[in-house]
Amino acid sequence: MANPTDHDKTKSGTLFLFVGPSGSGKGPLLRRFRETYETDERFHFPNRVITRAVHMPDETHIHATIEAFANAEEGGAFSLHWHTHGHRYGIPGHTLIELQNGKHVMINVSRTMVEQAREFGFPVRIFHIETPLDTSFKKLKARGRESEEEIAQRLKRHDLPYPDEGDILRIEIDGESEEAFEQANVVVQEILQEP
């Protein structure tokens, strides 16, 4: 794959990162964007590769065994990849090609991947989703994927400090919020209107 730092910056798309603690609502917010823009040729929504099986009808990730995922990691198949909460997550490498070709890419990633994503050299905007701890717990429990002990392990990282920087929009969600989409979409529309 070509070095992502060799791209034409005047042509490249923006990389939108949806980050936040487990149960914050970043997944539903990203799905709302996907529903709105998936048929718009200016956008690309890559499916993550995860070693967790698909449990819910609206989940769009690609399931991989641990062995298959490890082979993909070693082969350089991912642009970003991380291990957390007993699972492995990967963003397909073709994501960088889509950005090079001028498409705006939206992905749900770990907060630990932000600095690495910035190093690609593409314009980056970050939607940091925040929600009260008890709301996160209720959302995680409602998903029915994990035991309360596993949920408790996830929520240990709920209040991980996060810096205030110019490319970050903090969005507070308490329950399902159309307002969160509207806040984030203002940023998206501003970028779409740039010459």
Side-chain angles (χ1 to χ4, degrees):
M1 179 181 297
N3 186 335
T5 59
D6 294 336
H7 66 272
D8 178 356
K9 292 187 178 181
T10 64
K11 181 184 176 184
S12 66
T14 296
L15 178 58
F16 293 94
L17 304 178
F18 290 69
V19 304
S22 294
S24 62
K26 57 187 180 293
L29 180 59
L30 178 55
R31 282 196 295 274
R32 180 71 173 81
F33 272 97
R34 192 167 192 155
E35 291 168 0
T36 302
Y37 291 109
E38 192 167 29
T39 59
D40 188 325
E41 294 183 354
R42 295 172 294 179
F43 289 85
H44 178 64
F45 296 85
N47 290 327
R48 296 186 300 176
V49 179
I50 308 178
T51 55
R52 171 176 54 75
V54 175
H55 290 282
M56 306 292 287
D58 59 357
E59 289 187 287
T60 57
H61 72 263
I62 300 166
H63 172 250
T65 64
I66 291 178
E67 181 181 6
F69 193 99
N71 289 337
E73 279 182 315
E74 292 174 7
F78 300 125
S79 56
L80 296 169
H81 54 94
W82 63 98
H83 301 182
T84 188
H85 306 307
H87 300 293
R88 303 181 184 190
Y89 300 76
I91 305 298
H94 67 76
T95 298
L96 300 181
I97 296 174
E98 299 290 351
L99 286 161
Q100 288 171 352
N101 290 337
K103 290 198 175 184
H104 303 300
V105 173
M106 294 188 165
I107 53 177
N108 176 349
V109 300
S110 167
R111 288 169 283 184
T112 62
M113 291 291 100
V114 169
E115 291 308 317
Q116 186 175 334
R118 284 178 173 143
E119 291 173 2
F120 291 140
F122 298 105
V124 174
R125 294 308 299 266
I126 300 159
F127 298 139
H128 185 260
I129 318 305
E130 302 174 343
T131 194
L133 181 62
D134 61 337
T135 300
S136 292
F137 175 78
K138 290 174 184 176
K139 287 183 178 181
L140 291 171
K141 191 169 183 180
R143 291 195 312 203
R145 293 200 310 237
E146 298 153 318
S147 67
E148 289 197 6
E149 182 178 345
E150 290 170 326
I151 291 172
Q153 288 298 316
R154 278 184 174 271
L155 292 178
K156 283 183 177 180
R157 301 177 71 247
H158 186 274
D159 295 322
L160 183 72
Y162 205 74
D164 286 309
E165 297 184 28
D167 58 1
I168 299 174
L169 174 66
R170 291 178 176 268
I171 301 174
E172 294 185 10
I173 300 178
D174 189 359
E176 300 301 326
S177 174
E178 181 65 15
E179 183 181 347
F181 170 76
E182 293 173 358
Q183 288 180 46
N185 199 37
V186 168
V187 175
V188 174
Q189 286 298 314
E190 288 175 352
I191 288 173
L192 291 178
Q193 292 167 18
E194 290 177 356

